[in-house]
Amino acid sequence: MVPFRSIIKEVWKNAFFAVKFFCVIHVARNYLITNVMFKFCRLLVLACFLQIDSTPSIFLAERISPRFGKVARGDILHLRSPQNPKKEIGKRLVGLEGDTITYVSDSENGDKHETVVVPKGHVLVEGDNK
């Protein structure tokens, strides 16, 4: 009977440690820091050969700044795609609420510019490949 009791005590201790470990991992991943994998399609010129490099890059993303509204222009944001919510995308923050942004709306005609005001509660993001 004594060995059985010591085995149960050891199993309980290990199970409790595992539960605490996974709770810490859950809190850290959802509220503090997480890993993000982006696929950047960039064109490499190597010894007169053109090659498209689409290998994924892994980054660490902190989750504290957005919760306190501490984002700034130029930051790279990790977002869900509005067209496909299962897909995650990375975009650069261009404008905060109330900013007036002027951009070239037609890349064929460099003279045509449009100006928008970012509405309250929104931000303006764009990809790096214009």
Side-chain angles (χ1 to χ4, degrees):
M1 187 72 174
V2 174
F4 184 69
R5 185 174 282 169
S6 66
I7 291 172
I8 289 177
K9 191 181 275 189
E10 187 69 27
V11 167
W12 176 255
K13 189 171 82 171
N14 289 337
F16 189 66
F17 174 76
V19 167
K20 286 193 306 186
F21 175 76
F22 286 114
C23 286
V24 167
I25 295 297
H26 169 75
V27 168
R29 184 173 168 91
N30 289 324
Y31 300 105
L32 300 176
I33 195 166
T34 187
N35 61 328
V36 179
M37 184 170 52
F38 289 126
K39 274 192 176 180
F40 295 108
C41 291
R42 52 188 173 249
L43 194 61
L44 299 176
V45 179
L46 300 172
C48 298
F49 292 105
L50 294 177
Q51 175 185 0
I52 297 178
D53 180 26
S54 63
T55 58
S57 299
I58 299 175
F59 300 97
L60 287 178
E62 57 94 10
R63 294 180 176 248
I64 299 170
S65 297
R67 292 188 188 277
F68 294 108
K70 302 289 184 187
V71 292
R73 288 170 206 84
D75 288 351
I76 297 175
L77 303 178
H78 177 233
L79 312 164
R80 288 199 192 280
S81 172
Q83 288 85 17
N84 182 4
K86 292 181 181 178
K87 184 178 177 184
E88 296 175 340
I89 56 175
K91 298 290 180 185
R92 189 171 303 273
L93 180 63
V94 178
L96 300 169
E97 65 180 41
D99 287 352
T100 303
I101 308 292
T102 302
Y103 63 96
V104 177
S105 61
D106 187 11
S107 61
E108 312 271 325
N109 182 6
D111 296 339
K112 187 173 181 184
H113 296 289
E114 287 191 30
T115 303
V116 295
V117 176
V118 181
K120 185 176 182 178
H122 292 78
V123 294
L124 183 66
V125 295
E126 70 179 15
D128 288 339
N129 188 8
K130 296 181 182 180

